[in-house]
Amino acid sequence: MSRLGPAPLDQVRGLLRIWAQPSGRRLPGLAVPLKKDFCRLCWIQTRDFPHAPSVRWSEAARREALQATRTHQLFLANTFYALSLQGARGPRPPAEVPQLDPASLPPLIPGQLRLLEAPRDLLRIHRDRTIVLLREVRAIPHLAQAWEAAESLADRHGWSARLRYDVKRALVISLSCRGPDEPVLYSELEPLAKRQYPVARTARVLAEVGMLHDDRPDLLEQHWTRRLEGATPAIFAQADAWLRHLRDGGPRFKPRSRKTVSEYSRNTAPILVRWSQTYDDLREITRDEIDRTIRALPPGRRRLAPITALRSLFSYLRKTNRIFQNPTTHLKLGSAPTDVLLPLGSEHYRQAVAAARTALHHVALALAAVHAASSNDIQHMKIDDVDLTQRHITINGVRRHLDDLTRQALITYLRDRQSRWPGTSNPHLVVSAVTVFDQRPVSTYSMTQLFRGLKATIDQLRQDRILEEALTRGPDPLHLTAVFGISHSTAIRYSDAARKILHTAAENPLDQEPSLGEQRNSHQR
């Protein structure tokens, strides 16, 4: 075999098994060097037989083994030392970390222009080089600045030691191959997630020092582009300009929330695509066409988002002189239909209590069923809003007395929170594994998943608690506003619902279930 130089052991193990001629036999017309009447390679390989003893074999034992062996595995030249070292002496010791060579670092020339805009593959950086730069970080000024920003951010948010180390290694990988004037693309950081690097927090540190360029596509824009597929070019351009205006805002227009923009695009996209089958431009849409479109909608949706979204769309087009007149000026929104408020049954409470498995479930159940806290209130509640010593809790700006059930649930949850994340600095009461090292609250999705699939969700329990107060203390809107901090219109709505339930119960006294207060008190016990 040709001399290829020393090969790593994993490369040798990955070779295909190529079976040679039986040991000790000579091929016709082929000169093979022998050792003691056997192939030299076969004689040497007897040291690596699986059944070979730890002591050196005698010549007779080797001859006997070679007579019984019919085939051998071929390997690259000069790899016998690696095989013997692995088999006899165990794994090879780790190589010494080379010293930092300043000549190997990229030149730090401010304002240096790049010849080509080629994406960088950050996964190809060598591990030894990363270790060297971790020790000699001061050799690269902009990397040292990023490290200081990472330490400051970690101290503020209570990052663990492991998270700090991973963020520093990710900063070394992303900044050691570029100059101080070249920003890091977010798309270059995303492959680092394959090796369990904290990409989001590394990007936040880079943004702190001004070395991050977020080149990720806007998911909201992708969603409305997908929904408007099938619209004519003119209608698509008008709708796209309107949605961008809602998302980005203008000189005298505040940007709307991303949820609002998504709902507007979801409600108007089917209408615009249907209009594209008949019209080429929104200038051709008349008042009669708007009326036909509204009448074709389901009755429950005629006063909701579609009318509001269409009015916003045509108002923007008229303001920017893209259409001649606004065909939606005659539309009246009116009042949105509301659901009928009915009390929950005792079976719904039993299901909610059975579904409460964790300390967070118990806290959410107690806050909603006893103090009428909504999922949004629990999501944004701070630890400072809970005063266990004075037995007070502040929900939606209203200070209330802390009962024994809720107090015990809060104590259990806070102990669990402290044991799981002792170093967190998140001021919110409810945290998760995602927000524990940040200052933001948990997502709305996390709160809605607590009692998903049950009739007695957090918001349903809150409504039932307010309705129970109106039934017990009387349908007084002022009392409901003072106790729960709700608006006057909402208090009037609950009072009207309680008045109807009391009137129905007075007419049919034999058909009524146990009162809501009795149900709640029984489940507290």
Side-chain angles (χ1 to χ4, degrees), residues 200-374:
R201 291 180 175 85
T202 303
R204 185 171 182 179
V205 174
L206 292 172
E208 289 278 340
V209 296
M211 294 197 64
L212 177 68
H213 175 63
D214 194 350
D215 59 342
R216 291 176 295 176
D218 190 359
L219 295 180
L220 182 60
E221 183 176 348
Q222 290 181 347
H223 289 168
W224 81 55
T225 301
R226 175 179 51 82
R227 291 167 179 166
L228 292 172
E229 289 181 357
T232 61
I235 294 179
F236 178 85
Q238 292 167 342
D240 183 74
W242 166 59
L243 293 172
R244 290 178 183 273
H245 175 70
L246 292 178
R247 181 193 63 184
D248 302 332
R252 303 181 65 180
F253 181 81
K254 294 183 179 180
R256 298 292 186 260
S257 64
R258 297 177 66 87
K259 183 178 180 180
T260 301
V261 178
S262 178
E263 286 296 316
Y264 278 15
S265 65
R266 184 179 64 85
N267 285 279
T268 57
I271 300 175
L272 298 179
V273 172
R274 186 166 59 251
W275 283 347
S276 299
Q277 300 175 0
T278 308
Y279 305 99
D280 294 331
D281 197 294
L282 292 180
R283 297 177 182 178
E284 306 174 22
I285 303 300
T286 61
R287 176 178 297 185
D288 296 336
E289 181 63 32
I290 295 290
D291 292 336
R292 287 193 296 269
T293 301
I294 297 301
R295 286 195 298 269
L297 294 175
R301 298 182 55 196
R302 293 179 183 176
R303 294 182 179 180
L304 296 178
I307 296 181
T308 306
L310 288 176
R311 290 188 61 180
S312 175
L313 169 62
F314 285 99
S315 298
Y316 167 75
L317 296 179
R318 180 65 187 91
K319 186 181 298 183
T320 56
N321 297 325
R322 298 173 185 264
I323 58 176
F324 300 109
Q325 61 180 357
N326 186 356
T328 62
T329 53
H330 68 289
L331 293 178
K332 304 298 182 181
L333 295 179
S335 58
T338 57
D339 298 331
V340 179
L341 295 176
L342 295 175
L344 295 175
S346 58
E347 180 63 26
H348 299 147
Y349 273 88
R350 284 194 292 268
Q351 293 177 359
V353 173
R357 299 180 302 272
T358 63
L360 178 58
H361 283 88
H362 295 154
V363 167
L365 184 61
L367 292 176
V370 179
H371 298 277
S374 64

